[in-house]
């Protein structure tokens, strides 16, 4: 049977409030950082077309609407995620400690087929600030202990490493999707529906 490749990748961004999730998404999709960019209004997503392994894919990046304060994001947020980005703030140690519970929460809510190998990417954000409290080494160790999660230190404000991190996110999401297709061949009906749900205008932000 011919393999039909999914060209829509769902990426969700998790982490404590104020670590810079919305700013990272905004920097990546719109190449903008704004101090006026306030708490996200309404759970929403941005889309961006990216080229990965010579293929054009649409990345759908889901941001929270601030409900992360209550850890109550609802199952629709997690459902069908192809990659989960965990963000902490390098100047806020608690946001780093909470990565464990964000990861656990994701695994419970999304219940991926192969939790051990599900692609996470960790971003230590706000490296432009000089009051860092979490060392690179400590973060790397945590990532290694969780099955070698890729780790990037970013600044949504200065645009540091944001592009590179999202390239890895897209690549790993695509690989996970390819593996899922091998394991589980979805009925055509489902596949058609997911194609139909594809946002028509790429590179736009609805948040
Ligand atoms: P969230 O979506 O995780 O809740 P936001 O976080 O993107 O809303 O960002 C929270 C605050 O951190 C915002 O400041 C934002 O400007 C700031 N911020 C985000 N990323 C960076 C970064 O890389 N460097 C610095 N220096 N600040 C960042 P305000 O003042 O609006 O609350
Ligand atoms: Mg936000």
């Amino acid at each position: 049977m011919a393999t039909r490749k999914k060209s829509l990748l769902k990426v969700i961004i998790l982490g404590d409030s104020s670590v810079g999730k919305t700013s990272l998404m905004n920097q990546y999709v719109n190449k903008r950082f704004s101090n006026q960019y306030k708490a996200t209004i309404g759970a929403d997503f941005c889309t961006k077309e990216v080229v990965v392994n010579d293929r054009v894919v649409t990345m759908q990046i889901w941001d929270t609407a601030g409900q992360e304060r209550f850890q109550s994001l609802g199952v629709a947020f997690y459902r069908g995620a192809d990659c989960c980005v965990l963000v902490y703030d390098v100047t806020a140690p608690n946001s780093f400690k909470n990565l464990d519970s964000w990861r656990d929460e994701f695994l419970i809510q999304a219940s991926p087929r192969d939790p051990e190998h599900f692609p996470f990417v960790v971003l230590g954000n706000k490296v432009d600030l000089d009051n860092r409290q979490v060392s690179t080494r400590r973060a790397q160790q945590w990532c290694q202990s969780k099955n070698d999660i890729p780790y990037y230190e970013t600044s949504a404000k200065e645009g540091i490493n944001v592009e590179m991190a999202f390239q890895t996110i897209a690549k790993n999401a695509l690989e996970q999707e390819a593996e899922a297709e091998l394991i589980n061949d979805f009925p055509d009906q489902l596949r058609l529906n997911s194609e139909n749900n594809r946002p028509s205008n790429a590179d736009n932000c609805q948040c």
Side-chain angles (χ1 to χ4, degrees):
M1 185 179 162
T3 321
R4 246 183 281 177
K5 296 260 164 69
K6 181 174 162 184
S7 55
L8 179 67
L9 300 173
K10 178 173 175 178
V11 171
I12 67 171
I13 310 187
L14 289 179
D16 281 6
S17 185
S18 296
V19 295
K21 300 181 298 300
T22 303
S23 301
L24 282 162
M25 182 172 80
N26 199 30
Q27 174 62 256
Y28 178 58
V29 178
N30 301 316
K31 301 265 177 289
R32 258 202 323 250
F33 178 80
S34 162
N35 278 322
Q36 275 82 52
Y37 203 82
K38 281 294 160 197
T40 324
I41 304 154
D44 232 330
F45 56 80
C46 289
T47 58
K48 188 170 166 95
E49 301 250 298
V50 284
V51 178
V52 193
N53 300 343
D54 294 330
R55 277 185 55 194
V56 180
V57 295
T58 301
M59 190 159 34
Q60 192 182 66
I61 308 165
W62 288 61
D63 185 25
T64 65
Q67 321 93 312
E68 68 270 31
R69 282 183 197 88
F70 318 107
Q71 283 220 356
S72 59
L73 293 169
V75 76
F77 184 80
Y78 295 96
R79 191 183 295 132
D82 296 303
C83 182
C84 175
V85 184
L86 299 172
V87 185
Y88 78 96
D89 172 350
V90 296
T91 71
N94 268 338
S95 70
F96 175 69
K97 286 191 203 121
N98 286 338
L99 289 184
D100 260 314
S101 62
W102 283 116
R103 182 176 168 277
D104 291 349
E105 180 75 359
F106 174 81
L107 292 173
I108 292 164
Q109 298 288 344
S111 47
R113 272 176 294 258
D114 185 2
E116 277 294 298
H117 298 105
F118 185 86
F120 289 93
V121 172
V122 170
L123 306 183
N125 191 40
K126 306 197 189 181
V127 288
D128 58 283
L129 297 176
D130 50 21
N131 56 329
R132 172 197 272 270
Q133 310 254 2
V134 181
S135 70
T136 304
R137 193 174 152 72
R138 193 169 153 212
Q140 279 172 340
Q141 278 173 347
W142 186 83
C143 290
Q144 275 162 13
S145 76
K146 304 291 177 200
N147 227 346
D148 266 334
I149 300 179
Y151 174 62
Y152 291 91
E153 299 202 327
T154 58
S155 165
K157 184 175 184 183
E158 308 286 342
I160 299 168
N161 271 344
V162 176
E163 186 73 37
M164 198 191 280
F166 274 93
Q167 266 295 323
T168 299
I169 290 161
K171 187 168 161 284
N172 291 1
L174 190 66
E175 279 165 13
Q176 125 86 23
E177 187 48 46
E179 268 171 39
E181 281 191 354
L182 282 177
I183 296 166
N184 195 351
D185 212 354
F186 288 111
D188 279 359
Q189 182 89 38
L190 271 183
R191 200 177 293 284
L192 281 174
N193 283 344
S194 80
E195 286 295 311
N196 286 346
N197 286 340
R198 222 182 103 141
S200 52
N201 48 343
D203 287 7
N204 68 342
C205 192
Q206 302 166 20
C207 45

